[in-house]
Amino acid sequence: MRRLREALWAFRVYLYVTPGPLLARRALAIFPEPVRALGERCPFYRYDARSGGGYWPDRNEVYLAAGVETYEGTRQVVLSARHEMFHFVAHNDERYRSDDDAHWPALWGALEASRSELEAFPRYRDWIRRSFLAQGDHANPAELFADIPTNFPDPREIPSALRGYFAPLLEGSAGGPDTVARRAPGDLGAFHALIG
């Protein structure tokens, strides 16, 4: 595979086998039906780049590089698509849209309430400290919102306040931003101190 990928890259060839709509369905297949139904509405496009992608809120569209599938593999393309889809969910699910619009005060509150439980969730704790915070400026509340369901779709792997915050998305149960204490959002340094 390495040699094949190098040959493809030498000619700037991008191969993908999963068109956008199918990839969006696969990315959200493990989540409750309302999340899947919301995702069905998302315009999802593949484009000819080696890596990257994103959610454009002004157009309410997701783009993902064809090269994610070509050069990183099929497992990663589903995870990358899932991450971008959860940006779409944050913008289009009214429970989470209001938190997003207000700079995530409920997410900040859930994270603050989770601090005392970090040692009971070592995979989550280590991921925050070693993987998420290593992204620097990209490690912000909007990215964390999309990263948690991407990396922790099983709510038993995250602290209880976060489990409550994400419950409608992960389990289809009651919960969400209105069920957790809020905290005034701060700057990026304050966010990193809160979660680190």
Side-chain angles (χ1 to χ4, degrees):
M1 285 302 293
R2 183 183 58 76
R3 284 191 306 235
L4 174 60
R5 288 177 175 141
E6 287 173 0
L8 291 171
W9 182 240
F11 294 99
R12 303 299 194 265
V13 173
Y14 306 96
L15 302 175
Y16 68 89
V17 296
T18 316
L22 178 58
L23 184 53
R25 283 193 296 278
R26 287 183 181 170
L28 298 178
I30 63 173
F31 296 97
E33 192 281 329
V35 176
R36 294 191 312 269
L38 181 59
E40 289 285 327
R41 296 181 12 217
C42 179
F44 195 112
Y45 304 101
R46 304 299 301 274
Y47 69 101
D48 58 347
R50 189 173 188 184
S51 62
Y55 168 69
W56 278 260
D58 57 325
R59 297 191 310 246
N60 206 27
E61 297 172 343
V62 168
Y63 286 80
L64 190 66
V68 174
E69 199 159 16
T70 311
Y71 300 104
E72 297 182 42
T74 53
R75 181 178 183 278
Q76 183 58 46
V77 76
V78 171
L79 293 176
S80 295
R82 183 177 298 161
H83 172 89
E84 301 307 339
M85 291 298 298
F86 271 96
H87 285 302
F88 176 86
V89 168
H91 196 75
N92 290 278
D93 183 308
E94 63 187 45
R95 292 168 297 198
Y96 295 94
R97 172 71 183 263
S98 60
D99 200 37
D100 182 358
D101 287 345
H103 305 289
W104 306 101
L107 181 57
W108 280 72
L111 290 165
E112 182 173 54
S114 298
R115 289 173 59 92
S116 63
E117 293 184 71
L118 282 181
E119 296 308 315
F121 297 91
R123 188 173 92 78
Y124 169 77
R125 178 203 62 214
D126 293 347
W127 174 81
I128 285 284
R129 292 178 180 164
R130 295 182 187 149
S131 298
F132 185 74
L133 285 172
Q135 298 176 58
D137 290 349
H138 196 68
N140 61 58
E143 294 303 321
L144 184 64
F145 178 91
D147 273 351
I148 287 180
T150 298
N151 294 290
F152 300 93
D154 182 346
R156 296 171 297 183
E157 293 188 304
I158 56 177
S160 58
L162 286 172
R163 191 176 317 137
Y165 179 88
F166 283 101
L169 303 178
L170 300 180
E171 304 176 298
S173 61
D178 291 337
T179 64
V180 298
R182 294 171 181 266
R183 174 187 164 152
D187 63 14
L188 190 60
F191 180 68
H192 288 180
L194 175 67
I195 65 175

